[in-house]
Amino acid sequence: MKASKHQQQQQQSPSPSTRKPATTKPTPTRHKFGYAPTLYAFQRYLRNPEQLLPNSNNNISTPATDTDLTVLYCDSTCIIVPDKYPKSRYHILVIARDQRLQGPLDLTSADLALVQHMKDVGLKWAREHAPASLSNSAAAASGGGEDRFSIGFHSIPSMRQLHLHVLTKDYDSVCLKKKQHWNSFTTDFFLDVDWVLAQLESLARNGSSHQQQYLEYDVAEKEALIKGPMVCPKCRAVLSRMPDVKAHVAICTGGM
């Protein structure tokens, strides 16, 4: 006997257990991200970061761990986590919680206070927790100042969600393996946070009150820096290969 139209539709419809889950559209962004398995990894931290804290007072000195997720600090606008693949002996990330902000090019003058706050909490945490022995600089030996750390954003981020890098300037890590790793932190590919703040301040001062003004920079120019020569940011020595980099960072004190 021929099946009715209703029976045919039932047979063709997948059961609830076999249906593909609905996918969430990514937040619109001015950035273009390449494929990476970890592109959305920060979302795991951002779902409920408060639940990863051991108490509810958000003490900046209180770390918390939940299996493979570690949250060092969180407040209503950002969280701090350790970089899982640190490029220096001490390396943390300050991640913005605003889903609108996928990278630096999404920043506007309205985000000036947020970026300043991200810098302030990241620097405070690093000053309190990065051992002074990690650097041979005078700033480190005297207890550590802002000069002890590189603080900024990657101009072409590899992961979605705005995140600020705070790392010591030793660039000594087993995770720093490739030319692109070195150049992404030691060239102008790395957007110093004070430069970003100055640009946002300029937008706020000179921009139109009726139209959003975004942070701007030449993406193609930044991308070329990744492919350029490896240069020591302290003494400006040109380094040919990664073994040369490893040997050089162990002894270089130039410009410090």
Side-chain angles (χ1 to χ4, degrees):
M1 188 174 77
K2 188 176 180 180
S4 68
K5 186 175 181 180
H6 177 68
Q7 289 173 324
Q8 289 175 346
Q9 289 175 338
Q10 283 186 321
Q11 291 170 357
Q12 293 170 359
S13 299
S15 65
S17 61
T18 60
R19 288 190 189 121
K20 290 183 179 180
T23 56
T24 304
K25 288 186 177 180
T27 305
T29 176
R30 300 174 73 226
H31 281 280
K32 291 183 180 179
F33 296 91
Y35 170 77
T38 58
L39 188 60
Y40 292 94
F42 289 151
Q43 297 307 313
R44 301 175 65 202
Y45 291 99
L46 294 169
R47 285 180 193 132
N48 293 293
E50 290 84 359
Q51 293 183 8
L52 299 177
L53 292 169
N55 52 53
S56 59
N57 64 6
N58 291 335
N59 189 323
I60 196 167
S61 298
T62 307
T65 303
D66 178 21
T67 61
D68 64 332
L69 298 183
T70 300
V71 171
L72 303 173
Y73 164 84
C74 78
D75 60 30
S76 62
T77 60
C78 65
I79 70 173
I80 299 177
V81 303
D83 194 302
K84 284 193 172 183
Y85 304 97
K87 301 306 185 290
S88 283
R89 297 180 195 174
Y90 189 83
H91 189 171
I92 57 174
L93 303 174
V94 185
I95 308 173
R97 299 182 68 171
D98 187 342
Q99 296 290 315
R100 171 182 58 87
L101 301 172
Q102 297 294 290
L105 286 174
D106 294 323
L107 290 169
T108 72
S109 57
D111 301 306
L112 178 60
L114 169 65
V115 175
Q116 183 66 58
H117 176 67
M118 292 172 70
K119 175 191 174 181
D120 291 345
V121 297
L123 183 58
K124 176 178 173 60
W125 181 272
R127 279 173 168 166
E128 292 178 356
H129 294 85
S133 61
L134 292 186
S135 174
N136 59 3
S137 70
S142 64
E146 186 172 335
D147 288 345
R148 184 184 168 199
F149 303 98
S150 288
I151 309 173
F153 304 95
H154 279 154
S155 53
I156 306 174
S158 59
M159 299 175 69
R160 279 184 176 267
Q161 199 60 30
L162 182 74
H163 55 285
L164 180 73
H165 294 266
V166 182
L167 66 161
T168 48
K169 292 181 178 179
D170 51 85
Y171 307 111
D172 183 13
S173 170
V174 295
C175 297
L176 198 151
K177 301 177 180 179
K178 301 177 181 179
K179 178 180 181 178
Q180 67 190 57
H181 294 159
W182 177 263
N183 282 349
S184 69
F185 286 99
T186 61
T187 70
D188 286 342
F189 179 92
F190 190 71
L191 305 176
D192 185 273
V193 68
D194 288 334
W195 179 86
V196 173
L197 287 168
Q199 298 303 305
L200 297 180
E201 286 174 353
S202 178
L203 290 177
R205 187 168 55 249
N206 303 318
S208 167
S209 60
H210 305 293
Q211 186 177 5
Q212 271 192 328
Q213 302 289 318
Y214 286 93
L215 180 70
E216 297 284 356
Y217 50 83
D218 190 327
V219 173
E221 180 182 281
K222 299 297 184 185
E223 193 169 24
L225 294 171
I226 287 289
K227 303 172 183 177
M230 294 186 292
V231 178
C232 175
K234 301 173 187 177
C235 70
R236 309 310 299 169
V238 177
L239 307 168
S240 302
R241 304 171 305 138
M242 285 310 299
D244 299 332
V245 169
K246 297 292 185 180
H248 186 81
V249 298
I251 60 171
C252 181
T253 59
M256 299 190 68

